[in-house]
Amino acid sequence: MIKTRALASALITVAALLGAGAAPVAAQPSAAATSCYGGAKNLNYRYQVGPREYGPFTTSSRCGDINMRLTTEDQSFLYACVVFIDHTDKCNHDNTYSLHGTPWATVATDVKDGTRFVLRVGPYDTDAQNVNFQLAY
């Protein structure tokens, strides 16, 4: 009987420790996303034929990626890419642009802290006349 109680007590303790350890790990991505997006810069794009550059900016430990989302709710889309200005004058991902709308999306992933970059933005179509967007890095 004593062995059964000791075993039950040990199992409860282990379960409690595992449960306590699992909660903070699960909460970290959400907290990281909140702090990353919480530091987002508000920017504005006005239609022009060619791409427009924003920056230069320097990455920090706040975000591991460079993220963007449109905050104008008019069904506009923008093309965007990142240029790592200390290394090249071309866009990342083999000099290609990615399409961005209202949800947060990554423009560049796994960027080292202290990396200088500019964001190049262009219109998807002529609907992108005056578009507000956010950049988190």
Side-chain angles (χ1 to χ4, degrees):
M1 186 67 106
I2 293 174
K3 284 186 180 181
T4 304
R5 281 189 200 166
L7 180 60
S9 176
L11 288 173
I12 290 170
T13 301
V14 169
L17 289 173
L18 287 174
V25 171
Q28 283 177 342
S30 176
T34 300
S35 65
C36 175
Y37 299 150
K41 291 201 178 301
N42 293 308
L43 300 166
N44 177 266
Y45 173 83
R46 292 193 184 270
Y47 183 83
Q48 64 185 42
V49 176
R52 178 176 172 197
E53 289 190 354
Y54 297 83
F57 304 107
T58 303
T59 60
S60 68
S61 59
R62 187 175 59 239
C63 298
D65 302 327
I66 298 171
N67 307 284
M68 178 180 165
R69 77 171 178 154
L70 277 56
T71 55
T72 300
E73 297 283 340
D74 66 356
Q75 306 303 313
S76 295
F77 292 94
L78 295 175
Y79 282 114
C81 74
V82 169
V83 178
F84 299 110
I85 56 178
D86 292 334
H87 306 285
T88 185
D89 60 353
K90 295 183 179 182
C91 290
N92 60 327
H93 300 298
D94 295 322
N95 206 27
T96 61
Y97 288 76
S98 53
L99 187 63
H100 295 273
T102 53
W104 281 108
T106 303
V107 186
T109 57
D110 298 325
V111 182
K112 290 170 54 174
D113 295 351
T115 301
R116 290 179 353 114
F117 70 95
V118 295
L119 179 74
R120 273 192 198 149
V121 175
Y124 173 70
D125 58 24
T126 56
D127 289 340
Q129 292 294 313
N130 184 22
V131 181
N132 296 318
F133 66 95
Q134 290 184 310
L135 182 66
Y137 55 91

